[in-house]
Amino acid sequence: MKPFMDQDFLLETETARQLYHQYAEPMPIVDYHCHINPQEIAENRQYDNITQVWLGGDHYKWRAMRCNGVQEVDITGSKDTDPYRTFSCWAKTLPRCVGNPLYHWTYLELKRYFGVEEPLNPKTCQKIYDHCNQMLKQDSMRVRGIIQQSNVRLICTTDDPADSLEYHQQIAQDESCTVQVLPACRPDQAMRVEAEGFAAYLEKLGQAAGMQVNSFETLCQALAKRLAFFEEMGCRASDHALDHPIYRTATPEQLEEIFQKGRAGQPVSLEEQEAYKTALLLFLSKEYHRYGWVMQLHFGCIRNLSTQMYQKLGPDTGFDAVGSGGYAQELANLLDAMQQAGHLPKMVLYSLNQYDNEMIATIAGAFQTDSPVASRIQLGSAWWFNDTKTGMEKQLTDLGNLGVLGNFVGMLTDSRSFLSYTRHEYFRRILCNHLGNLVESGQYHNDLETLGELVQDICYNNTVKFFGFKL
């Protein structure tokens, strides 16, 4: 019987073991998309307990606990909720998560950061809780210590164009901080012309840009000002959360009418929303292209399914689901419009529906011409519900079948937790196992030097080059 999570965890062949230990394991991490709070890095936060750092904001674990019958008060709770009680609920849930990547992630985090290798269950819960809390008192387990021991070189946070970026400035001026922390522009609120708070957001954006935003034209001007500021702060990427890819044209007069409807809080039809968002995406893509930024599009998600829980907890709390496809033509039309206008930026496309992989990879292949950047339109990593072992294997297989796998920009955490860097290890082991199996089944030359270079590129080098990070 093979030991649980030993040094060769997930590495089934000798080639896979060589690729991982010699080439992948030593490579630094660039986390080009995450949702961690830059304030916590600036202030080098020290956590009070393992529940705080491990379960606070982790809607992956929240969903699993809900599925295990844990009451909401013991999951998201309140300020008065006993943190040990929440931790103990996770300890009861984890043993039942057979086949769920949370099982692997949990033990990678316990092993790498806390030296814990025994099973977490109701019998060991108190002992492990106390041990982890004791370790969290050490300076090496402050936020920056966790980042440093994870071998992270650069982090891109997720930031609204109206954000002050004050903590990014503070970090950049702090010579004791060993990691680069750059903003990534996420203009979702500017896109949501149908949202209840659209007018209030325009006011906030206008204040940040030093101008009044009262028309579609001035909205674009304000965003351009803020993007210029983000560029000064080292930004190399943007990100957009779309329910699905869209493409619908409208005249300038129609766009202005739609904008004014949203500003006044009037109903905006689905067709009007799509026209407005298409126009804004096209404008923003021009700015991104000008700065050489990477434009990321995340789609294929149905968000906030439970009205009751959305009203209680808000978004990003574990009540989303995988959406269906059927938007290939819209995605192709959007990219084609950008290309025809001469400002198709570098892009990474992610779908929450893994069955969109082939669609994305083949559409990406139609827009690779006349660019010095290798694979300038990328099929993104297995994301959210797909960053499972089988999801990652499928993404690697699909990209290998239909694209150039060696140009892939690799893994991201997409997480709110500083302990999630082990997901890069998880991905790297799966990558090396995938390639090792190709070699040992006679499907790829046994050329360890070439494969080793390819592994290091996917783990780190491609990311640095593609995004234009200065490391």
Side-chain angles (χ1 to χ4, degrees), residues 272-292:
E272 289 172 328
Q273 293 175 40
E274 291 181 349
Y276 169 86
K277 291 174 182 180
T278 298
L280 203 53
L281 285 171
L282 292 174
F283 166 76
L284 289 168
S285 71
K286 182 178 181 180
E287 297 298 299
Y288 302 154
H289 182 267
R290 182 158 69 93
Y291 291 125

Side-chain angles (χ1 to χ4, degrees), residues 191 240-246 281 297-301 303 334:
M191 295 279 291
H240 296 263
L242 303 175
D243 294 335
H244 55 83
I246 50 176
L281 285 171
L297 299 181
H298 286 82
F299 50 84
C301 179
R303 298 180 184 273
L334 183 66

Side-chain angles (χ1 to χ4, degrees), residues 127-143:
K127 176 184 175 184
I128 291 176
Y129 183 78
D130 293 342
H131 169 78
C132 292
N133 288 348
Q134 192 63 35
M135 287 199 66
L136 285 170
K137 295 178 181 179
Q138 303 172 9
D139 279 347
S140 61
M141 291 299 290
R142 287 177 176 269
V143 161

Side-chain angles (χ1 to χ4, degrees), residues 105-355:
W105 296 349
T106 293
Y107 285 108
L108 281 172
E109 291 163 2
L110 283 174
K111 186 173 184 177
R112 298 292 178 253
Y113 296 109
F114 300 99
V116 173
E117 298 194 36
E118 63 184 308
L120 174 61
N121 56 47
K123 293 181 180 179
T124 61
C125 180
Q126 185 71 62
K127 176 184 175 184
I128 291 176
Y129 183 78
D130 293 342
H131 169 78
C132 292
N133 288 348
Q134 192 63 35
M135 287 199 66
L136 285 170
K137 295 178 181 179
Q138 303 172 9
D139 279 347
S140 61
M141 291 299 290
R142 287 177 176 269
V143 161
R144 294 188 190 179
I146 293 171
I147 292 171
Q148 188 168 7
Q149 63 181 294
S150 303
N151 199 17
V152 179
R153 296 282 177 84
L154 186 145
I155 295 168
C156 290
T157 58
T158 302
D159 309 277
D160 189 278
D163 288 349
S164 67
L165 304 185
E166 59 185 295
Y167 295 109
H168 291 85
Q169 293 174 316
Q170 187 175 327
I171 293 166
Q173 294 166 4
D174 187 347
E175 295 181 358
S176 67
C177 188
T178 59
V179 64
Q180 274 196 64
V181 182
L182 302 179
C185 186
R186 178 106 171 208
D188 288 354
Q189 292 191 72
M191 295 279 291
R192 293 174 184 148
V193 67
E194 76 283 4
E196 184 178 339
F198 184 65
Y201 176 73
L202 295 177
E203 182 72 22
K204 180 181 178 182
L205 178 66
Q207 290 176 357
M211 59 180 290
Q212 188 175 13
V213 180
N214 55 13
S215 65
F216 185 77
E217 182 180 357
T218 54
L219 169 64
C220 293
Q221 292 171 0
L223 286 170
K225 282 190 172 186
R226 297 306 295 166
L227 266 58
F229 173 59
F230 272 60
E231 168 72 9
E232 291 174 10
M233 292 298 298
C235 180
R236 303 304 307 151
S238 70
D239 184 49
H240 296 263
L242 303 175
D243 294 335
H244 55 83
I246 50 176
Y247 185 77
R248 187 180 293 273
T249 60
T251 66
E253 293 77 18
Q254 289 171 327
L255 289 174
E256 185 60 28
E257 181 180 347
I258 296 167
F259 175 88
Q260 295 301 342
K261 278 187 178 182
R263 184 170 175 238
Q266 298 173 1
V268 180
S269 71
L270 181 60
E271 292 78 10
E272 289 172 328
Q273 293 175 40
E274 291 181 349
Y276 169 86
K277 291 174 182 180
T278 298
L280 203 53
L281 285 171
L282 292 174
F283 166 76
L284 289 168
S285 71
K286 182 178 181 180
E287 297 298 299
Y288 302 154
H289 182 267
R290 182 158 69 93
Y291 291 125
W293 292 5
V294 174
M295 183 179 192
Q296 299 176 91
L297 299 181
H298 286 82
F299 50 84
C301 179
I302 308 174
R303 298 180 184 273
N304 308 314
L305 274 68
S306 171
T307 301
Q308 179 184 16
M309 296 309 295
Y310 176 73
Q311 291 172 347
K312 182 177 181 180
L313 299 176
D316 305 319
T317 52
F319 297 95
D320 307 317
V322 176
S324 60
Y327 33 69
Q329 191 64 60
E330 288 79 4
L331 178 61
N333 289 345
L334 183 66
L335 269 60
D336 187 51
M338 294 176 185
Q339 186 180 59
Q340 288 195 65
H343 50 72
L344 177 64
K346 295 177 289 184
M347 299 183 79
V348 185
L349 305 172
Y350 313 81
S351 176
L352 201 55
N353 190 325
Q354 63 180 322
Y355 297 106

